[in-house]
């Protein structure tokens, strides 16, 4: 049985993953105890992490750093941490000679009867993928990319293993000899640089922002999802559409604002991501638009139920404060435009442009 108190006492910090960013969760009290959802079909409680009395019911995206009895601080996914049977022992502590012997014996048993076609190159074993069985090849490509699948993700690759793609020619090496326990691994030839196909950064297919992926690229290809976290989550509620590269919109009012900017020759692009805190947690406020020549941040708002709810619970106030502080520090102006304000915004801009032209002629 798990010792929840021992698990709780070993916690150093809790972090939340949002896209390519990691944010510390602010709390005063952490506790692990059993939780029963009213929608549970199993009718059995499961362990959950409570922060200041509130359970984290969806562990995905949360990381826990705990202190082992050996003094090391180890970070792992929350869902794994709360199910640890031995919280005070890390993988380093458990690497005993007895365990290594047991692992070696298991490997030998599992590989009995399997013929490997290989050559010896010093101490390195070289395998021949073409001589593997069809079942082996099928299983391999169930978790690795084929050439056809690679072509789907290739246009969105930004960086792999700290090597930027840019205009370089990129070629997939689908089954190079692996390292450690892997027979094969996939590599990329990026303009002559041979790198492992991991530590991948993509360019969002919707907004163009650059983001890292933490899971296997195969899942992205299977779901045809090459969007950053912000676009993906917004698209579960709203329809985020791409106007052009670096410029997206969600509503008809936002599209109207973009089109009127184009009509008035106003340069417009997606607004910045601004961090803010609400209820002890760090969030990201993605402002709708940025007019770089005018140095104006624009948030186009309608009086819909989501906005009213944020006003009532105080979340909108925190977002607004963060935007104003960001604008002041960077010499910008932050404007909130409701539908009734958009006409006046462009009338004011047109008047300023006319006054400027008249003064220039005089």
């Amino acid at each position: 049985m798990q010792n929840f108190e021992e698990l709780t006492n070993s916690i150093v910090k809790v972090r939340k993953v949002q896209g390519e960013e990691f944010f510390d969760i602010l709390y005063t009290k952490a506790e692990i105890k059993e939780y029963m959802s009213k929608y549970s079909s199993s009718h059995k409680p499961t362990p959950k992490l409570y922060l200041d009395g509130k359970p984290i019911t969806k562990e995905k995206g949360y990381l826990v750093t705990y202190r082992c009895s050996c003094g090391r601080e180890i970070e792992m996914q929350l869902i794994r941490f709360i199910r640890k049977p031995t919280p005070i022992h890390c993988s380093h502590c458990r690497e005993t000679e007895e365990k290594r012997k047991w692992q070696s014996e298991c490997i030998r048993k599992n590989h009995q009867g399997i013929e490997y076609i290989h050559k010896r190159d010093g101490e390195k074993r070289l395998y021949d993928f073409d001589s593997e069985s069809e079942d082996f090849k099928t299983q391999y490509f169930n978790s690795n990319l084929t050439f056809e699948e690679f072509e789907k993700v290739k246009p969105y690759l930004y960086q792999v293993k700290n090597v930027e793609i840019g205009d370089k020619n990129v070629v997939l090496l689908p089954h190079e000899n692996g390292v450690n326990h892997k027979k094969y691994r996939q590599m990329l030839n990026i303009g002559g640089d041979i790198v492992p196909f991991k530590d991948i950064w993509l360019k969002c297919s919707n907004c163009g922002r650059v983001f890292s992926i933490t899971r296997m690229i195969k899942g992205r290809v299977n779901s045809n999802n090459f969007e950053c976290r912000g676009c993906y989550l917004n698209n579960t509620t709203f329809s985020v559409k791409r106007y052009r590269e670096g410029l997206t919109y969600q509503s008809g009012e936002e599209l109207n604002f973009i089109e009127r900017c184009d009509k008035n020759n106003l340069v417009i692009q997606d607004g910045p991501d601004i961090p803010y805190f609400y209820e002890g947690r760090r969030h990201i406020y993605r402002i709708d638009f940025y007019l770089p020549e005018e140095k104006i941040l624009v948030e186009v708002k309608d009086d819909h139920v989501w906005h009213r709810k944020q006003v009532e619970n105080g979340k909108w106030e925190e977002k607004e404060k963060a935007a104003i502080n960001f604008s002041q520090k960077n010499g910008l102006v932050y404007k909130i435009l409701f539908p009734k304000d958009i006409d006046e915004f462009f009338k004011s801009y047109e008047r300023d442009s006319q006054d400027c032209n008249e003064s220039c002629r005089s």
Side-chain angles (χ1 to χ4, degrees):
M1 184 175 178
Q2 289 179 285
N3 188 333
F4 291 159
E5 183 179 357
E6 193 175 14
L7 273 174
T8 302
N9 292 337
S10 68
I11 295 176
V12 176
K13 66 178 179 180
V14 182
R15 296 203 296 169
K16 173 72 173 174
V17 182
Q18 292 186 348
E20 67 273 18
E21 298 186 7
F22 297 81
F23 306 117
D24 289 346
I25 304 297
L26 303 180
Y27 62 90
T28 56
K29 181 182 178 182
E31 184 180 10
I32 297 176
K33 57 184 180 180
E34 292 186 333
Y35 169 83
M36 171 73 80
S37 171
K38 62 180 180 180
Y39 303 108
S40 173
S41 58
S42 63
H43 304 293
K44 293 182 179 179
T46 56
K48 298 289 181 183
L49 175 63
Y50 285 70
L51 298 180
D52 295 331
K54 296 181 179 180
I56 298 177
T57 56
K58 296 182 179 180
E59 294 94 346
K60 184 178 179 181
Y62 286 89
L63 301 173
V64 171
T65 300
Y66 74 96
R67 182 172 288 107
C68 176
S69 59
C70 69
R72 291 184 175 89
E73 290 189 359
I74 312 296
E75 186 174 64
M76 64 167 52
Q77 295 177 358
L78 173 59
I79 192 169
R80 289 182 55 204
F81 175 75
I82 59 179
R83 287 163 173 76
K84 280 176 64 66
T86 54
I88 60 171
H89 298 297
C90 65
S91 57
H92 301 282
C93 298
R94 296 195 302 270
E95 283 296 332
T96 62
E97 187 64 29
E98 182 180 352
K99 180 182 178 182
R100 283 194 289 270
K101 288 181 179 178
W102 173 79
Q103 288 177 328
S104 299
E105 184 63 27
C106 287
I107 292 173
R108 281 194 294 272
K109 287 181 179 179
N110 292 335
H111 287 77
Q112 282 180 356
I114 300 177
E115 295 183 3
Y116 296 114
I117 299 174
H118 62 273
K119 296 182 257 183
R120 284 285 185 181
D121 181 16
E123 293 300 320
K124 187 177 180 181
R125 176 170 290 186
L126 303 178
Y127 298 100
D128 183 4
F129 188 83
D130 292 335
S131 300
E132 300 287 359
S133 68
E134 291 303 316
D135 287 342
F136 179 91
K137 294 177 182 178
T138 300
Q139 187 175 3
Y140 179 80
F141 283 113
N142 281 340
S143 56
N144 293 279
L145 297 187
T146 63
F147 283 114
E148 292 77 13
E149 291 170 335
F150 178 71
E151 289 302 315
K152 293 181 181 179
V153 72
K154 185 177 177 180
Y156 308 108
L157 288 176
Y158 176 79
Q159 177 178 292
V160 177
K161 201 63 179 175
N162 296 323
V163 178
E164 288 192 14
I165 305 297
D167 297 329
K168 299 174 184 175
N169 184 39
V170 183
V171 178
L172 173 67
L173 307 177
H175 38 70
E176 297 298 293
N177 275 253
V179 293
N180 298 331
H181 63 285
K182 290 188 176 181
K183 290 183 69 178
Y184 305 100
R185 60 175 175 167
Q186 297 203 315
M187 309 281 284
L188 292 187
N189 183 335
I190 306 175
D193 292 324
I194 310 298
V195 297
F197 195 15
K198 61 182 182 179
D199 298 339
I200 303 167
W201 290 70
L202 299 179
K203 193 172 183 180
C204 178
S205 60
N206 191 54
C207 69
R209 284 177 170 86
V210 174
F211 66 99
S212 66
I213 60 174
T214 56
R215 294 185 179 274
M216 293 180 65
I217 190 67
K218 184 80 172 185
R220 291 272 179 175
V221 176
N222 289 340
S223 61
N224 199 31
N225 172 23
F226 306 111
E227 295 178 346
C228 65
R229 182 178 176 85
C231 290
Y232 177 75
L233 292 179
N234 281 331
N235 274 327
T236 61
T237 305
F238 305 98
S239 178
V240 180
K241 306 175 187 68
R242 177 174 174 169
Y243 188 79
R244 56 174 173 261
E245 186 169 352
L247 184 58
T248 57
Y249 66 94
Q250 291 177 308
S251 66
E253 291 298 339
E254 292 180 11
L255 176 60
N256 173 45
F257 185 82
I258 293 174
E259 291 174 340
R260 294 188 67 171
C261 283
D262 285 349
K263 183 179 178 182
N264 286 275
N265 296 318
L266 273 170
V267 178
I268 181 173
Q269 59 193 47
D270 279 334
D273 293 344
I274 298 177
Y276 69 97
F277 284 92
Y278 174 67
E279 293 185 344
R281 296 185 181 181
R282 186 172 177 176
H283 301 267
I284 293 294
Y285 172 25
R286 178 173 290 186
I287 293 182
D288 290 332
F289 305 115
Y290 174 45
L291 310 181
E293 295 180 350
E294 310 299 319
K295 295 188 178 300
I296 297 176
L297 299 179
V298 176
E299 178 70 20
V300 177
K301 278 293 176 191
D302 203 348
D303 192 26
H304 51 60
V305 63
W306 295 281
H307 177 63
R308 292 199 301 269
K309 185 176 180 180
Q310 288 189 358
V311 171
E312 291 171 2
N313 61 29
K315 188 174 185 178
W316 174 250
E317 181 181 0
E318 298 303 321
K319 293 169 72 172
E320 196 172 19
K321 285 180 184 177
I324 292 173
N325 290 336
F326 178 88
S327 300
Q328 291 175 346
K329 289 179 181 178
N330 293 276
L332 306 175
V333 176
Y334 172 65
K335 288 183 176 292
I336 304 171
L337 300 181
F338 287 89
K340 60 182 177 61
D341 304 320
I342 294 178
D343 283 340
E344 182 57 34
F345 175 84
F346 285 102
K347 286 179 183 177
S348 175
Y349 174 76
E350 291 168 0
R351 285 196 299 268
D352 292 342
S353 299
Q354 289 174 359
D355 292 343
C356 179
N357 292 333
E358 290 174 0
S359 62
C360 291
R361 287 197 296 269
S362 62

